[in-house]
Amino acid sequence: MIPGLPGLSDDFYRFIWDGMLWHEGIHPFAYTPSELIASGYLSDNPIWATLFHSMNSPEYHTVYPPVAQGLFYLATLGQPENIYQPVLIMKVFMVIAAAASLLLLTRLLSKYKKPLTLVAWYALNPLAILELSGNLHLEGLALPFLLWAIYNIGSKKFISGFSGISFAILVKLNPAIALPILWKSIGWKRGLVYVIGVTVVSGGTLILIITPDVLSGMASSLDLYFRHFEFNASLYYLLREAGYLFKGYNIIAGAGPALALVGGLSILAYSLISKASLPRAVIFIYMIFWATATTVHPWYIIPMVALAPVAGLRFPLVWSLLIFFTYAGYTVEGYEEILILTFLEYGTLTAVIWYDLKNP
């Protein structure tokens, strides 16, 4: 997977675009690619045209946090004139992150008295290999920081744990959903200090790169995510069908943010009442998050797959197979979701979750 270009994702074009903008002295968060192409501000490097015409959503602002932006910057040192050099550099970082994740998983398995051979369920998982080493998704870079946080907090090493989750959030924003359960596991009083620390580190790092234009651009992109994007959803698709039935149109503009709110409140409630081990609780928090999302790409579930052997849960591993069927909708003409496959995916997943809960 390492020497080849990603074959099932075009996110890497945006990674390279963002990295090259830093070298141009242009803030990636401040302008959309479409605005920059129209402005004429970019250098005459021919790679700009390749990146612009190949990336998805060039009319949207970037949403990748500072640590991810640092990787993009390093990968594009020297302003390359083709996409192969930065892709190879990013894949080297991804393999290093994968090695760190496997090491941390063995430590977690040992801590929770599980056979170390169970690490193979993640190490040899086709979804992890394809989406991380192959398609270069940033879940692979965020994962070791999340695992580091879970391991250290479970070992009562709170400063190390706080550092880990802070860096995970600065690679991908969604690990922030684990904060409530990590807070509870530390204890409410001490956890308050911990959460404030994460907020200061993560927020302080963001402040270093934020201007009013940047803040407006990020808010615009996140709003578009909740109100416009839909892919491989579960509860949202049921609401969407009800909207078509009773309203006569797609209700995503209202249903997307409403489901996000329901998901957030459900995560808080679960964190309050959960008595599960930390790895198991984090998996169920991710499950709540993706159950109430309008978009669930295959690589989004990587943290759940990694933690499944530690938590003694089967359903994330089964999902790592089922979610492959989302690729069946891709054709040379574009993408058209095959809803019967989505129904079979979530129907089977629901049955396995039920089995897991009945057979811990």
Side-chain angles (χ1 to χ4, degrees), residues 207-246:
I207 287 172
L208 295 175
I209 63 171
I210 281 182
T211 67
D213 287 341
V214 170
L215 192 60
S216 174
M218 292 182 69
S220 173
S221 292
L222 290 173
D223 181 67
L224 284 167
Y225 176 84
F226 287 112
R227 295 181 185 273
H228 293 272
F229 294 164
E230 50 186 17
F231 179 89
N232 190 40
S234 53
L235 294 178
Y236 162 68
Y237 279 178
L238 297 177
L239 285 178
R240 186 182 67 179
E241 293 306 308
Y244 282 129
L245 180 62
F246 295 106

Side-chain angles (χ1 to χ4, degrees), residues 164-182:
I165 195 65
S166 296
F167 276 99
I169 293 169
L170 291 171
V171 176
K172 290 280 289 190
L173 296 176
N174 61 50
I177 64 174
L179 282 175
I181 195 66
L182 297 179

Side-chain angles (χ1 to χ4, degrees), residues 99-133:
S101 295
L102 295 178
L103 175 61
L104 287 163
L105 281 173
T106 59
R107 291 188 176 184
L108 280 166
L109 287 166
S110 178
K111 176 177 175 57
Y112 288 95
K113 297 179 172 55
K114 304 284 186 180
L116 297 187
T117 51
L118 291 179
V119 74
W121 284 103
Y122 178 74
L124 303 178
N125 189 284
L127 181 71
I129 295 170
L130 178 68
E131 299 296 0
L132 304 184
S133 299

Side-chain angles (χ1 to χ4, degrees), residues 27-316:
H27 207 307
F29 290 88
Y31 306 97
T32 68
S34 297
E35 290 170 344
L36 287 171
I37 287 293
S39 71
Y41 289 159
L42 302 177
S43 66
D44 57 1
N45 190 329
I47 195 173
W48 292 116
T50 300
L51 296 173
F52 180 75
H53 293 295
S54 301
M55 75 172 68
N56 61 60
S57 306
E59 67 277 13
Y60 299 151
H61 291 267
T62 189
V63 293
Y64 298 107
V67 171
Q69 293 291 336
L71 172 63
F72 307 158
Y73 176 87
L74 291 174
T76 52
L77 287 171
Q79 290 287 62
E81 295 186 358
N82 63 68
I83 61 177
Y84 296 99
Q85 173 194 316
V87 166
L88 181 59
I89 292 172
M90 286 189 284
K91 286 198 173 188
V92 169
F93 276 96
M94 194 66 69
V95 171
I96 293 171
S101 295
L102 295 178
L103 175 61
L104 287 163
L105 281 173
T106 59
R107 291 188 176 184
L108 280 166
L109 287 166
S110 178
K111 176 177 175 57
Y112 288 95
K113 297 179 172 55
K114 304 284 186 180
L116 297 187
T117 51
L118 291 179
V119 74
W121 284 103
Y122 178 74
L124 303 178
N125 189 284
L127 181 71
I129 295 170
L130 178 68
E131 299 296 0
L132 304 184
S133 299
N135 290 329
L136 204 54
H137 290 297
L138 294 178
E139 276 70 14
L141 194 63
L143 180 62
F145 294 117
L146 177 63
L147 297 176
W148 176 258
I150 293 171
Y151 176 77
N152 280 284
I153 290 171
S155 302
K156 308 300 181 183
K157 299 176 181 177
F158 302 131
I159 294 177
S160 296
F162 129 73
S163 301
I165 195 65
S166 296
F167 276 99
I169 293 169
L170 291 171
V171 176
K172 290 280 289 190
L173 296 176
N174 61 50
I177 64 174
L179 282 175
I181 195 66
L182 297 179
W183 184 350
K184 179 189 176 183
S185 68
I186 293 173
W188 296 113
K189 291 183 179 179
R190 184 180 292 176
L192 178 61
V193 176
Y194 165 84
V195 170
I196 291 173
V198 172
T199 303
V200 169
V201 172
S202 303
T205 307
L206 286 170
I207 287 172
L208 295 175
I209 63 171
I210 281 182
T211 67
D213 287 341
V214 170
L215 192 60
S216 174
M218 292 182 69
S220 173
S221 292
L222 290 173
D223 181 67
L224 284 167
Y225 176 84
F226 287 112
R227 295 181 185 273
H228 293 272
F229 294 164
E230 50 186 17
F231 179 89
N232 190 40
S234 53
L235 294 178
Y236 162 68
Y237 279 178
L238 297 177
L239 285 178
R240 186 182 67 179
E241 293 306 308
Y244 282 129
L245 180 62
F246 295 106
K247 297 284 189 178
Y249 59 86
N250 190 333
I251 60 172
I252 187 172
L259 273 176
L261 177 62
V262 169
L265 293 175
S266 299
I267 287 170
L268 290 174
Y270 175 81
S271 298
L272 286 170
I273 65 174
S274 174
K275 297 181 180 179
S277 67
L278 191 52
R280 192 179 183 97
V282 170
I283 287 179
F284 278 109
I285 281 173
Y286 267 100
M287 188 66 247
I288 293 169
F289 187 66
W290 297 130
T292 53
T294 60
T295 302
V296 186
H297 288 295
W299 55 92
Y300 288 2
I301 71 168
I302 291 293
M304 300 171 66
V305 176
L307 286 168
V310 182
L313 292 170
R314 305 163 185 86
F315 79 84

